[in-house]
Amino acid sequence: MRIGLLTDGGYPYATGESRLWCDRLVRGLPQHEFDLFALSRSAHQEDQGWVRLPPQVSRVRTAPLWTPEDGTLRGSVERGLLARLVTGGEQSYGRRDRRRFTEHLTALATAICTPDETGTEAGEGPGAELFTEGLYGLAELARERGGLHLALRSEATVRILEAASRARGTGRTVQKATVADHLAFAAELERALRPLSLDWYDQESLGAVDLCHAASGGAAALPGLLAKRFFGVPLLVTEHGVPLRAHYLAASGTPYGTPVRALLAGFHGRLTTEVYRQAAIVTPGNTHVRRWQQRCGADPAKLRTVYPGMAAERFGRVGEDAERFGAAGEGDDVGGPDTLVWVGRIEPAKDLIALLHAFAEVRRAEPGARLRVFGAPAEGDEATTYLAHCEALAAQLFPDEATGAHTEGVNPVTFEEIGSPEVPDLAEAYGAGGVIVLSSVVEGFPVSLVEAMFCGRATVSTDVGAVVEVIGGTGLVVPPRNSKALADACVALLRDPERRARLGAAARARALELFTVEQNLAAFRGIYLELISHTPVRREADTVDAHGDPLPFATPPEARLLGHWTQPGPHLRPQPDPDPSASVPSRAAPGTRLPDRPGEPEPQHTREPEPEGVCAVAAGPAGDGDA
């Protein structure tokens, strides 16, 4: 089948979220054909180029969601509607189209500005209806008239937003919006709705795929919504994080005031609910994400938890060594039994400050303990500043220690970079200690925790995100921002090597069962087949492309059957027994059927004709179709 993979700021670009997961999905399902529809987020991302694509990727369409200062688009996007409209090629609206634009944008703005009444389920009520009316109305207008860029940047848009925010029933925060706030929100709304103006919605693009698979919600799923609207293509949405939650967390760092943030939250909330409502299946990456999706209106019957697959083979040697030595009772000789290891990206959300204070308590109980912090190369001023702060605190809490009067002192806390000559490989970092520690205050799916489990290591983690779900009883979990509890758990494992070995073996077995690439691919292989079998795509003239070449699997075979494809046709149903009293003239050959009325031509076959469909094609003359 042909899969339309929709991404936002990720695959096929060399940088971005979900890039590695998408690449493993495409390479792991070579029996399918993939068309990529990718949205880019910055000029820097486009300049980094693409990853090397496998042969099953037949086509790539890209479009930018960022606007350069000069107002022109750059990058690998095909020269289509979006490029023309930004450079001045958008058609001007007539009176009828202006009236349609005003009507649809007013409905959209009213839904954004007006919160639902208390007790209203997400996706229900007048607000949800107005949002869908406005969104799809604007999409149809953009498809007919060549885009919405200039219209959404016009003075009419600002007046519509201002009127909607002043209407009765809107929130107090939205009512305080100024003209500057409306201008800022109009710019953000145009950027968010930019996928509506793309030239992807025809029989040669999204209309030619059998299934749309959005690698995240939000902007990536918008083309999938329109493909379902215009062509009936089923939509599958996968989320390893929650885009709406990420928007809420990032809102405080934007230069906009409270009214603009409230308007943006209203738009993204409505869009998220509509994506979940229209998706045939939603696959959260863990239960933490699943709870957010249900809170935003996702139907529990549509949710299938599919853990992100990770490459277990790169940690195989360290994990096998841990099992072998642990089973032999020699666990103290593996990986530094008195060493705690932390691995991850050094940033404030990881709360290394609490870890350092906890390690001070560990040192009082176990004077020989060490802490090794392995971090990825720092990127950005914030990460560099935070790393310097942590190093200064470690130097203050743990002065260099020397074993003798003429020996150089050594600090029990070290900060090391993964990929350096001392630690060239990630597996070696996990293998350097007996206990792996995670001290985060904010976490989605804890990748470092799964990697430690592949290595057969006992873990101590804070109870954030999907940690408890991932650990499943194979490690110790403590409350976040509690240095005393973190220290007590570390000391308990440092003093009990047998318990460390048992927990490490159980963690490795759990990770190999639930978090491998193979289980992830098997899950999506089954979901693809299920969606195609239950949601056949019915479109016009999609058996050949513009050059007359056939489109393989563009229409599933069962779509040609009349009625539900699992029910037998008339020729397979039991026929009533013939009347024994009826006499058969002697001129009738055995097995023939006479006409019902005199003068009627005799039939040429002995059973009812087969329905026009797959069976008829298979039984027809050679060359009439594929059986």
Side-chain angles (χ1 to χ4, degrees), residues 214-302:
S216 67
L222 257 178
L225 290 179
L226 302 192
K228 180 178 181 181
R229 179 80 173 186
F230 297 144
F231 309 107
V233 179
L235 173 62
L236 169 65
V237 177
T238 295
E239 288 184 332
H240 296 125
V242 184
L244 183 60
R245 175 176 176 268
H247 170 78
Y248 289 156
L249 293 175
S252 59
T254 61
Y256 300 126
T258 305
V260 178
R261 294 202 298 266
L263 290 169
L264 288 173
F267 170 78
H268 288 289
R270 296 286 189 189
L271 177 61
T272 300
T273 300
E274 177 63 12
V275 168
Y276 293 155
R277 190 176 70 89
Q278 294 294 340
I281 291 180
V282 181
T283 58
N286 53 74
T287 304
H288 176 67
V289 174
R290 185 187 184 111
R291 288 195 296 266
W292 269 87
Q293 291 171 339
Q294 288 186 240
R295 182 181 177 184
C296 294
D299 184 0
K302 295 181 179 180

Side-chain angles (χ1 to χ4, degrees), residues 198-213:
L198 298 174
D199 56 349
W200 293 353
Y201 313 110
D202 54 42
Q203 292 289 352
E204 293 298 319
S205 296
L206 282 173
V209 303
D210 300 302
L211 169 68
C212 281
H213 187 175

Side-chain angles (χ1 to χ4, degrees), residues 308-370:
M310 300 176 59
E313 58 275 6
R314 64 183 302 192
F315 307 102
R317 181 183 59 81
V318 177
E320 291 169 0
D321 289 345
E323 286 186 352
R324 183 170 60 254
F325 289 112
E330 301 173 357
D332 284 355
D333 296 334
V334 181
D338 295 330
T339 302
L340 303 177
V341 167
W342 182 95
V343 179
R345 188 172 59 251
I346 298 178
E347 58 185 9
K350 303 301 182 181
D351 202 8
L352 285 176
I353 302 300
L355 177 60
L356 292 173
H357 286 289
F359 185 64
E361 297 289 336
V362 173
R363 288 277 293 178
R364 295 188 184 96
E366 294 291 327
R370 293 186 58 201

